[in-house]
Amino acid sequence: MQAAAAGFALGLSLIVAIGAQNAFVLRQGLRREHVLPVVLVCALSDAVLIAAGVAGFGMLATHLPGLETAMRWLGACFLTWYGARTLRAALRGGGALRAEAAPGHGSLRRVLLTCLALTWLNPHVYLDTVMLLGAISAQYDSRLHFGLGAVTASLLFFFALGFGARLLAPVFARPVAWRVLDLVIGLTMWLIAVKLLLG
């Protein structure tokens, strides 16, 4: 359960940050247009990336003994930087999620192609989901439970965002909501970085 909870917390922290993919999912939810296919594509893509990270990193770590330590330190550095950037965004404020600014419109094919591009052509997804989650999962005896926790967080988030868009949009249209969210995300990243360095 500890590994699953850690995977869930880290997966949710990484995915909640404002980005083009989340704006696109929110937009589709507001329009009530192809919501189920969009959230399934996002969640399944995340599941594949998380599985690749957890399984692939675990196999590499057994062949390269120093890799886990190196990735732990790199992960801590990245999380420290990511947390600082997010906390700076919280202090500056002014950010609001504009669903109407997201690209894509119309047919199911076009919507899904846009969704796939926003997911798989984002370079940060490979660092966050594959490398970072994979490295942190190596600290737990049950990498499987860690990965399942992260996959569950992704699944719940995308379904909540897509189908709860009408409820969430008025809240996150206000910059103060994103400031609070950025503050929570930034502090979470720093706590995880400290745990990586200590553990």
Side-chain angles (χ1 to χ4, degrees):
M1 283 304 294
Q2 184 183 1
F8 184 91
L10 182 59
L12 195 60
S13 297
L14 289 171
I15 202 170
V16 165
I18 304 172
Q21 184 191 51
N22 291 350
F24 181 77
V25 174
L26 181 61
R27 176 186 173 276
Q28 294 304 121
L30 288 171
R31 293 172 57 89
R32 296 184 179 179
E33 181 182 72
H34 311 305
V35 179
L36 182 60
V38 165
V39 297
L40 284 175
V41 163
C42 291
L44 290 174
S45 295
D46 255 22
V48 169
L49 290 163
I50 290 166
V54 172
F57 190 87
M59 289 192 333
L60 275 175
T62 58
H63 296 344
L64 302 170
L67 181 64
E68 182 180 341
T69 302
M71 288 308 299
R72 188 155 41 92
W73 280 89
L74 285 173
C77 290
F78 171 75
L79 286 171
T80 301
W81 169 81
Y82 191 97
R85 189 186 71 168
T86 307
L87 289 171
R88 186 177 64 181
L91 291 174
R92 287 182 175 177
L97 191 58
R98 308 270 184 236
E100 66 273 10
H105 170 61
S107 71
L108 177 61
R109 180 175 178 272
R110 183 172 179 180
V111 166
L112 291 183
L113 286 175
T114 301
C115 185
L116 287 167
L118 290 172
T119 302
W120 291 92
L121 298 181
N122 176 8
H124 293 291
V125 76
Y126 299 101
L127 180 61
D128 294 354
T129 311
V130 179
M131 293 304 294
L132 185 60
L133 281 172
I136 294 174
S137 72
Q139 295 183 55
Y140 294 91
D141 293 331
S142 179
R143 291 189 183 100
L144 174 63
H145 288 103
F146 183 92
L148 287 174
V151 168
T152 302
S154 172
L155 187 69
L156 290 176
F157 174 77
F158 282 120
F159 270 83
L161 184 61
F163 289 101
R166 289 188 177 272
L167 299 174
L168 295 172
V171 175
F172 287 106
R174 293 179 294 172
V176 67
W178 284 113
R179 292 184 78 170
V180 171
L181 184 62
D182 282 339
L183 180 64
V184 171
I185 291 171
L187 292 175
T188 301
M189 293 299 170
W190 278 4
L191 287 172
I192 295 169
V194 169
K195 186 177 179 184
L196 275 178
L197 292 174
L198 295 177

